[in-house]
Amino acid sequence: MLDTLEIETTVIIGNDWGATLAWQAALLRPERFIAVSTIGVPIMGQTPVPPTQVFPRTDDALFYVHYFQDEGVAEAEFEQNLRQTLQKIYYAASGDAGPRGNGATTPNPFGMVMRNKGFLASLPILRLSLPWLSEVDLAIFEADYSKSGFRGEPNLYRNLDRNWELQTTFSGLLLDVPAQFMIGTRDTGLAIPGMKQIIEAQKSLAPQLRDPVYSDGCGHWAPQEYPDQVSNLLANFLEGVCC
């Protein structure tokens, strides 16, 4: 894309799954991507075994990544009521749903899924509108998913082990460009055991990484929940690496 646009170098920014892609782009092509800023997903080293062998499962429940592995299962559940699916996931993963960790009982859509209930059953139905998710935006998302369906998102998880195999070639490679990482203190990712340690250890993989920024009260949807803070953080970072 950079070649098509005749852009020699740029700063790459990624959020959630886009963060994973941004980390990899800057890692593999630092001469084109001269800096990287990400939200929600830290840079991580390669696990000793494929990712699906790391995530837990029991007789009664399985980690949500496992739930997405069988084609058609998540799609069928999510597409029964598109609007309610979007409302449940957006709310349950947001800072408005409540605190994370330290014994908190805030619903987490990206945790364990009961085998006999499915992904959405344990998530509360949104009764009030969210100040950062307008009815206009929600209608647009619903219309888009009514055309595309939900196959694209689970496919990312279905390819985790394949990506792990490909990443083996670059194991030990350091990301050596200026980098920035932000996450909300109520992000669902912080409920994953060991995530805080992974965040604090990022400099071993990205030596030029700035200290992580924790956005107080923010959930998983930082650009929507806290747009001004995210914009200011990015502006300051860009000013420092581009000027």
Side-chain angles (χ1 to χ4, degrees):
M1 184 171 66
L2 294 183
D3 290 342
T4 299
L5 297 174
E6 298 183 347
I7 298 173
E8 186 61 29
T9 62
T10 190
V11 176
I12 187 166
I13 299 168
N15 174 50
D16 197 3
W17 265 103
T20 299
L21 300 178
W23 287 125
Q24 293 299 311
L27 177 70
L28 300 181
R29 296 300 302 270
E31 79 282 4
R32 305 298 299 274
F33 301 104
I34 61 172
V36 56
S37 181
T38 65
I39 302 170
V41 178
I43 186 171
M44 292 178 267
Q46 189 178 37
T47 55
V49 295
T52 57
Q53 295 183 28
V54 175
F55 301 124
R57 67 172 89 199
T58 68
D59 291 339
D60 299 321
L62 67 169
F63 195 59
Y64 81 101
V65 172
H66 290 304
Y67 179 74
F68 288 155
Q69 294 305 306
D70 293 332
E71 293 187 41
V73 176
E75 291 93 326
E77 181 183 8
F78 291 174
E79 292 167 14
Q80 285 183 1
N81 187 327
L82 291 173
R83 186 179 183 84
Q84 187 174 97
T85 294
L86 291 167
Q87 287 178 317
K88 281 192 167 192
I89 294 175
Y90 266 117
Y91 174 66
S94 74
D96 294 88
R100 308 283 172 185
N102 297 323
T105 58
T106 303
N108 183 359
F110 309 126
M112 298 296 286
V113 177
M114 297 300 296
R115 293 178 183 270
N116 63 345
K117 293 184 178 181
F119 186 95
L120 299 172
S122 65
L123 304 182
I125 296 175
L126 181 63
R127 301 297 183 184
L128 301 174
S129 61
L130 296 169
W132 46 268
L133 182 63
S134 71
E135 286 296 321
V136 173
D137 288 342
L138 189 60
I140 291 173
F141 298 154
E142 184 179 4
D144 286 346
Y145 276 112
S146 69
K147 298 176 183 177
S148 67
F150 271 91
R151 184 177 177 81
E153 289 75 8
N155 277 349
L156 290 167
Y157 294 95
R158 291 166 189 153
N159 206 46
L160 278 174
D161 287 355
R162 176 58 176 158
N163 284 338
W164 177 88
E165 293 175 7
L166 295 172
Q167 193 179 5
T168 301
T169 305
F170 308 102
S171 181
L173 184 65
L174 296 181
L175 188 152
D176 201 16
V177 299
Q180 175 178 257
F181 173 74
M182 170 190 174
I183 190 169
T185 59
R186 292 186 172 187
D187 192 299
T188 52
L190 293 179
I192 298 175
M195 181 55 67
K196 287 188 177 180
Q197 289 77 9
I198 291 173
I199 291 173
E200 298 303 323
Q202 288 182 102
K203 281 193 176 182
S204 65
L205 302 172
Q208 295 191 55
L209 178 70
R210 297 182 177 183
D211 290 339
V213 177
Y214 291 91
S215 181
D216 189 37
C218 184
H220 191 60
W221 321 109
Q224 291 164 282
E225 294 181 60
Y226 284 35
D228 291 340
Q229 183 177 359
V230 171
S231 295
N232 291 335
L233 189 69
L234 290 175
N236 291 335
F237 178 69
L238 292 172
E239 183 179 3
V241 300
C242 297
C243 304

